[in-house]
Amino acid sequence: MCGIVGYIGTRKVVPILLEGLKRLEYRGYDSAGLVYITNGKLVKYRAEGKLSSLERNVEAILGVESHVGLGHTRWATHGAPTTANAHPHGDCSDNIVVVHNGIIENYRALKETLQKKGHVFRSETDTEVLAHLIEEHLEEDIVLATRKALKQVQGSFAVGILWKGRPDIIVAARSHSPLVLGIQNGEGNLLASDVPALLPYTRRVVFLEDNEIAVLAKERWEVRQISNGRRVQKEVQTVTWNAGMAEKSGFKHFMLKEIYEQPQALVNTLRGRLEPQSGRVELPELGELETSLKEISRIAIVACGTSWHAALVAKYWLEDWVGIPVEVDIGSEFRYRRLLLDKNVLTLSISQSGETADTLAGTRLAAKLGSAIITICNVVGSTMTREADATLYTHAGPEIGVASTKAFTSQLAALFLFASYLGQLRGTLPADKARKLGHAIIELPTLLEESLDTIQQKIAVIADRFYDSRNFLFVGRGLSFPIALEGALKLKEISYIHAEGYAAGELKHGPIALIDKDMPILGLVPRDSIYEKSISNIEEIRARHGQLILIGSEGDRNLKTITDHVLFMPQPQTMVAELNPILFTIPAQLLAYEIATRRGCDVDQPRNLAKSVTVE
Ligand code: AGP
């Protein structure tokens, strides 16, 4: 998704814009640009490709005497990723410039109307329409003109606007696309699509909501409603993240750093929520929902991508420990089918970013039908957290790598706690089972901390053997099936190898036709209640000469008789099979990472992908 940064203050603006854009690179982009005001002029620089191209273009003007500007990284939606389509975009005279994240759905009709009035367009983008629309409305007041223009827009937008006539302010507005203000004391104020871009300068932030327009000046800021111009009182929040958390800290890639941060992310997510001895789970953030949680008859879960895989795992835990039906939907499907939801159904949304358009749209529909919304989310103040009835935060810290890793295992930990909490609240989870679950998960972070290096070394040997594969299958049963899906997604999204996840028992219904000596298959075969069934499926593969890689439970010598490529996962002292999804994800993440690096892929910013898909 596009990234927006803006600064107005006492410091030179160009280095701040470039640093901010670097911190938003993980959002995914294919061109970049910036604009600043100096000596009464608006000066624009834009470049195709990575930020380094833009940096080369602006090298000579890093020290330019300017203290107000906007930067943008563009993830192309309308128009190819060319310089002409890169943001910022200007009006006819380039006196007004706009940077934008989102989609203006009615831009064609607006463009035709504006062209008939003589406006000349220079790009294929929907964004440029905004600059001309503001120009059309502009008399003396850029804020009023912007409000009038935005009221004609259908679709989603987070925008930053500069006008040559008011070099003392930046105008910003949002509807269905994230935008956050960074508040400094007197040194200036900032604007960004996401918190990491603000962290080197401030941890004091203001999250804009839909229908809000902000005016940023060097020493003051205000927020109003786009619809009626009425002033909005906003809370300044202090984020707990620091700048270092959004940096690589010696790791080659953010993804590897975040894989290794998983033990700490688990500790942070469990902290204060689990009484280790009894296994009792306390979730005070759900306090107001406790009564309705005792009465719900069903749970609907909506999520996308990796978060959807977490939802699939949660279904097993919830149905087992709570004893009510759980249906899981992909956001883009959920939002367009007839939803049979009401106040008796709890809707869970799972999202690392809290901004995924399809998941967000689904939760809004569910809320309209009377369903209570709980969101499992990693970003404080994100849209989903502000709209849900309650939020269960994963405390994984900023996840910069596009491929989700620590957020996923933290989601599983949060869902594990939620399912145990709900089972205890409704009296469906026996106390000794709750205690065992608690003892097991509390051991997990240390166990992972101690074994990550060894796992990576062993996975590296397997990656040496299979990195040039053209296809890959991942198979698992029961709780391992969603992890097979997740392993396949990790591999395909960062190595570009075609990989598919399947329920192991499903192979004989067609996919087994794919098995031959050139097909690598990673099998997840923990010692659980369906172990024998899983082994039967593995034998079916072996009989057809598939190249087997097995991930199993420590001590399971049987696996060595099946294939040479075996990796054993350590087991907590108090082992419960329900923990395997968290454990068995780690080798799958590392396999994707090791293969992708061997293939020279851009691990942190895979082609075509964005960290947060805020458009549908
Ligand atoms: C996961 O590796 C992907 N980056 C992607 O599938 C992601 O999980 C999905 O877009 C959902 O994002 P969210 O968790 O922020 O809603």
Side-chain angles (χ1 to χ4, degrees), residues 304-307 350-356 359 384 402-404 411 486 489-490 493 610-613:
C304 299
T306 285
S307 298
I350 304 173
S351 176
Q352 188 285 130
S353 63
E355 302 294 350
T356 300
T359 308
M384 270 178 231
V402 166
S404 187
Q411 286 169 348
E486 173 59 11
L489 176 63
K490 287 282 106 34
E493 70 175 326
K611 181 60 183 171
S612 175
V613 185

Side-chain angles (χ1 to χ4, degrees), residues 83-124:
T83 302
N85 287 331
H87 301 205
H89 289 289
D91 65 338
C92 296
S93 57
D94 257 356
N95 289 335
I96 302 165
V97 288
V98 176
V99 292
H100 167 230
N101 180 17
I103 292 182
I104 299 174
E105 293 175 353
N106 61 333
Y107 85 97
R108 284 190 178 78
L110 292 171
K111 187 168 181 175
E112 279 169 28
T113 304
L114 289 161
Q115 285 172 319
K116 284 176 186 152
K117 292 183 175 181
H119 288 265
V120 178
F121 284 78
R122 291 162 285 186
S123 81
E124 305 161 292

Side-chain angles (χ1 to χ4, degrees), residues 411-431:
Q411 286 169 348
L412 292 179
L415 288 159
F416 187 96
L417 290 176
F418 176 69
S420 178
Y421 161 84
L422 201 53
Q424 295 181 52
L425 179 71
R426 293 167 62 110
T428 53
L429 181 65

Side-chain angles (χ1 to χ4, degrees), residues 50 421 481 609:
K50 290 303 182 189
Y421 161 84
F481 170 39
L609 293 184

Side-chain angles (χ1 to χ4, degrees), residues 11 26 47 65 124 141 163 337 354 408 413 452 457 517 574:
R11 299 171 59 177
Y26 69 90
E65 201 53 48
E124 305 161 292
D141 182 341
W163 175 38
R337 67 179 177 77
F408 176 62
L452 261 165
Q457 287 159 23
K517 64 177 177 46
T574 315

